[in-house]
Amino acid sequence: MRLSGHPSRPFASRRAVLRGAGGLFAVAAAGPLAACSSDPNLYALVPWPGAAQAGGPAVIEVRTPSVATSLDRERIVRSEGDYRLKTASGDAWSEALPSMIGHVLTADLQQRLPGSTIFAQNDAVATTALAVVELTLTRFSRDAGGHAVLGGSLAVHWLGHDGGASDVLALNLPVGGSGTAGLVAALSALLGQVADRAAAHLRALGPVAPPV
């Protein structure tokens, strides 16, 4: 009766009234307030070291990757399997996933291809790319067996010229532990493997574009 007699009383005060009626109701009332005040843990992919060797095109653009809609979300997709996709309820990406993957892949390639100028799409640059790297991701999480998986396709080609290469990607690595940090580390390492393949294809193109 006291609760209904004071409709404008703040939630915290109403919780105190309910506490007098029994502890069970006090816990139920406190839940939404606690949930609203908690912030997610933010995670970021990191560049992964690889073998450095010059020989690719002089200027390379990494296009913003195409990421499946099921993966392109704020909450980190923790696992896929049994017709279900599970997100990490308290863990989120620190920025939009396609943009973050594009910039990390760019950093990976900058380390692997010394002597080439490599930039991510939409970055402010004063030069024109000779070759481009395009990545499509359809899987980027943990599978039912507990491995980090990266699936999709990779294409490397001259800009405006014939010649290039493409790969179907089906990569996996064990995850250290069951937490989100281990998954993000393994996904960073898998992205490093993608960079290894892209760098090899770029070296095969050579430093100079073919004649038109």
Side-chain angles (χ1 to χ4, degrees):
M1 294 299 292
R2 293 175 60 194
L3 181 59
S4 60
H6 297 278
S8 62
R9 180 175 295 176
F11 184 84
S13 298
R14 284 182 278 171
R15 182 183 61 180
V17 172
L18 288 174
R19 186 181 293 116
L24 178 61
F25 295 97
V27 172
L33 185 64
C36 291
S37 63
S38 61
D39 293 324
N41 301 308
L42 299 180
Y43 289 85
L45 299 163
V46 298
W48 209 260
Q53 181 181 343
V59 185
I60 302 163
E61 178 185 5
V62 177
R63 297 276 172 86
T64 300
S66 174
V67 179
T69 304
S70 60
L71 300 170
D72 186 9
R73 59 182 70 230
E74 180 183 356
R75 299 292 181 177
I76 295 173
V77 176
R78 174 165 285 183
S79 65
E80 299 174 76
D82 297 328
Y83 310 102
R84 298 178 61 190
L85 183 148
K86 298 179 182 178
T87 60
S89 59
D91 301 329
W93 293 116
S94 60
E95 63 176 293
L97 187 57
S99 175
M100 177 163 52
I101 291 173
H103 282 101
V104 172
L105 182 57
T106 299
D108 283 339
L109 288 172
Q110 288 170 341
Q111 185 265 318
R112 286 161 173 76
L113 292 169
S116 294
T117 298
I118 306 172
F119 61 92
Q121 184 178 5
N122 298 323
D123 282 359
V125 293
T127 187
T128 302
L130 299 175
V132 296
V133 177
E134 298 176 320
L135 175 64
T136 298
L137 288 183
T138 56
R139 301 190 70 190
F140 199 65
S141 64
R142 191 193 313 255
D143 65 12
H147 286 72
V149 292
L150 185 155
S153 61
L154 171 71
V156 173
H157 58 87
W158 293 108
L159 187 62
H161 300 272
D162 294 332
S166 61
D167 284 338
V168 174
L169 302 172
L171 310 175
N172 68 85
L173 277 176
V175 177
S178 59
T180 301
L183 173 61
V184 173
L187 292 173
S188 298
L190 288 177
L191 199 55
Q193 291 186 18
V194 174
D196 290 338
R197 294 192 183 197
H201 290 319
L202 289 163
R203 293 187 194 101
L205 290 181
V208 181
V212 178

